[in-house]
Amino acid sequence: MSSAFKMNKIGIVIGVLILLLVVSIIFTIQNKPFTKIRKKAHQPKEYTSKGDNAKCLKCHTVSRYEINNPDDSTTVLLKRMPARCIIDTNRYYTSNHWDFKCTDCHSDAYSKVPHDSKLKYAQINTCLDCHAEDAKYAKFHFENIDTAFRKSMHFKNDTVNFNCWSCHNAHYNKTSMRDSLQDIKITVATDNAMCMKCHDTSTSNDYYEFYSKGKAKANIYEKHQWLPMLENHLLNVRCIDCHAAMDPKTLVAHTIQPKSLSVRACADCHSPNSILIKSLYKNRPQAGSRFGFLNPQTLQEQDIIGSNRNYYLDLIFLFVLGFAGFVILIHIIFRIIKKA
Amino acid sequence: MSTKRIYLYPKWLRLWHIINALLCLTLIFTGLSMQFSSKETILLNFFTSVRIHDITGISLAVNYLLFFIGNLATANKRHYRIPAKGFTGNIIKQLKYYLSGMFKGKKAPFPTTEEQKFNPVQQITYKTVMYFMVPVMVITGGLMFFHSVIPYRIYNINGPLFVDVVHLCGAFIITLFLLIHLYFATIGHTPTAHFKSIINGYHELDEEEK
């Protein structure tokens, strides 16, 4: 066998191995998020309030509703429904409050149509009105959430108007942190949507102006331009992870901090003792570090440089470098002795 | 004593080499700063490291193109052609020289010539590093820079993690190469001879090479 042929054979083998590697990578690519390990048992919901709600939702699901003309019983009036009063029933019946009757929260007086205009000034219940000191909801620590919320700059800026519903929509609210197997991106998107309702400069609504009493809205995209990989951060980290004080007594931080106290140091997240472990990943399974990765609970969905180091890889690198250094040292000594 | 010199390193190659060396050292330092980032870091802070690493990485990729095109267009590529004859034997012969022959005053089995400036060990390592490791680093680094293009999962593990670990292993191999490369560069007829060569372009021949 000629040596040229032998060389070609080695080249072909290396080429085929590289090709196999590339092909295997291509075939194992999955462009979908982390799949749940366990499927939740499907429990069909037994709605008990749909019938009662139908009367309200007949009008509160459409942009134009009909109402009897009080001046002429033979005609009806066509009126415009304000956008904030239109309910998306799909979202409502899959939210945490899915089996509530409208009048569980809204005054019984709303049963009368047309509604008394004074009703819109009626006090609306907050979370604590229903959930306080209720053993069934103890795990949510609503009292602690309320204490944390009262320390937030949102509440301090507007103690009259700012309440739970300023961020959480009672009709559609869904817990996003409780399901530890849920794709973390959904949790991030759900939570950030609450902030963006007021803070997004690309949409025009008057929420921000209302709560800030006319203060101009800052462009949050411009404000965050300093962040490397901005889009990556916005999709994988919640606003509150940097802008709210962590509270060991609650699952989700509710004390929104002033800008000056926000997290600015990259190493707060990009380090072995990343703050994300105590915030965004607080409820994730505390997986054992079987493969030697630091902070393995983040590894199903993210790779946080500086936070996900691998202990064994570090050790191997250090050992090999040390060994190479040692061999070089011995070689130098021999060169000196032998004057080579 | 007059020494015979041969012109081995053309200007473009020396320019590429010095830029590559500086960029590599910067990438290693900033990469280490990111990998071992902590709140009490003694290295460069994470933010500055990211910025410098990004700029340096892109520069290295562009500089690599200079090497690739230069090697393709000039006669320098001949040094990367590994002779078919005695592939393994030549490597063993060269390793034996490094490990014992040079201490016994034996002649280098593959002396530097105008036709072949690398010995078999250099050839295989330089070829692997320049035509496999650096492209792997440029591709994985590019993927990390354009993070959103990384698939969610590869081999059923987190895609970004997979790319990160490959990049990290590549960085380690290149660091190891750099350490050995720098040491081997001291094995000339004087410890600084090779360093001078890569600056002025001329390789001074040993007595035995003449």
Side-chain angles (χ1 to χ4, degrees), chain B residues 130-146:
Chain B
M130 291 316 298
Y131 289 104
F132 183 70
M133 291 315 303
V134 176
V136 165
M137 293 304 285
V138 170
I139 292 166
T140 50
L143 284 171
M144 287 165 94
F145 187 72
F146 299 104

Side-chain angles (χ1 to χ4, degrees), chain A residues 178-195:
Chain A
R178 292 274 148 192
D179 183 359
S180 60
L181 296 175
Q182 177 178 262
D183 178 8
I184 204 85
K185 282 188 168 60
I186 296 173
T187 303
V188 171
T190 309
D191 280 18
N192 286 356
M194 288 184 218
C195 307

Side-chain angles (χ1 to χ4, degrees), chain A residues 24 30 270 302-303 331, chain B residues 37 98 153 155 158 164 183:
Chain A
S24 70
Q30 293 174 43
H270 292 277
Q302 293 199 12
D303 172 42
H331 207 259
Chain B
S37 161
Y98 282 139
R153 305 185 80 70
Y155 293 126
N158 174 6
D164 184 5
Y183 175 63

